[in-house]
Structures are given as structure tokens and as C-alpha cells.
Amino acid sequence: MQAVTVALDVNLAVEVHDADTGELLHRELLHNLVVDAGLNLIRDLLDGDAPAGLTHMAVGTGSTAAAAGNTTLGTEVYRGAVTQRVSTSKTLVVKWFVSSTQANGSTLAEAGIFNAASGGTMFARAVLATTISKSSAITVSLTWTINLAAA
């Protein structure tokens, strides 16, 4: 019996906008790491365990490179419920909006996607190439795109 491999191509787009005008100030496209706990989350779902889906995202100030064994962000500063999920053929897009009143005073350097409002399982983590000095003058949106394919 030959094993079947499913490839995950997971990428993150981070956009920073002026809170007043909506003008795009910065856009960054990142390839992130689906961590071991995230792979086990998929395994558990396929095994019929019915774990919670991807419901929350978080940002933090940690800058250590993502590693397969990560289960949390380096230094989480804010977590919130995803604002939109869109499923199409072999693709899931998950979006999150950080308003001008959230996470202010932090230098955002990392992001993660989770299945709970606190704790839970981290599916993937990314370290930003350019940190974001979060203030009330800006909003931040994160869009995680998960593509599935037979490998």
C-alpha cells in the first residue's frame, strides 16, 4: 500500500492601512510555517476527532524564526476572532482585521493562526520581514491562504 501525500501551501499577506484614509502604507507577502501541532490538527480532523477549526489569529513581538515545534507565538500581545473565512476548491482563505484601537503600543513582529480564543492549537506561524509599530493611526489586516494539493 502506497502512502498518499497531501501538500499544504500556506501563505500570509499582511497589510497596513492608514486608519483615517484607508491608504495602503505597507504590504508584505510571507511564506509561513505550518507547525507540527497544525499538522496534527489536520490529522485529528481526518481521524474524526472534530477539533475546532481555525477561528482566531494573534500577533506578537517575538522575532525568533518559526520552528516546527512551535506551539505558541514567541510573545503574543493580541488575539482576536477571524473576520472572514472563504472556502473554494482546495483552498481556504482566512482573514483578520486589527482595528485602530487594538494592539497599540506594540512592535508587531510575528503572527499565528489558532483554533481557540486562548490557548488552543497553533496551526501556523510567521515572522514578519518588517516589524509594524502599531498605533491608533493604522489598521492591520492579515490574510492566510491555505492551498491543498496531492503531492
Side-chain angles (χ1 to χ4, degrees):
M1 176 182 252
Q2 186 176 9
V4 175
T5 301
V6 174
L8 291 174
D9 178 29
V10 182
N11 294 287
L12 174 62
V14 179
E15 292 184 342
V16 178
H17 291 266
D18 182 285
D20 291 329
T21 67
E23 176 187 356
L24 178 64
L25 302 174
H26 175 74
R27 185 168 198 254
E28 185 172 331
L29 301 175
L30 300 165
H31 186 73
N32 68 155
L33 179 65
V34 176
V35 296
D36 290 345
L39 295 173
N40 288 334
L41 184 68
I42 295 169
R43 178 211 56 214
D44 293 346
L45 176 65
L46 294 173
D47 191 35
D49 281 350
L54 302 177
T55 59
H56 289 76
M57 290 189 204
V59 288
T61 60
S63 59
T64 303
N70 290 160
T71 57
T72 63
L73 292 181
T75 309
E76 184 175 321
V77 295
Y78 181 71
R79 187 183 296 205
V82 300
T83 51
Q84 183 182 32
R85 279 190 298 276
V86 178
S87 295
T88 59
S89 180
K90 299 181 283 182
T91 300
L92 174 62
V93 177
V94 184
K95 296 181 180 185
W96 183 46
F97 180 76
V98 181
S99 78
S100 63
T101 63
Q102 299 164 323
N104 292 333
S106 299
T107 300
L108 307 180
E110 62 181 334
I113 186 166
F114 296 82
N115 73 342
S118 64
T121 300
M122 182 167 66
F123 175 72
R125 179 172 176 254
V127 176
L128 307 179
T130 303
T131 60
I132 301 167
S133 295
K134 183 64 178 77
S135 72
S136 61
I138 62 172
T139 63
V140 179
S141 61
L142 286 79
T143 303
W144 239 288
T145 302
I146 304 164
N147 295 304
L148 303 165

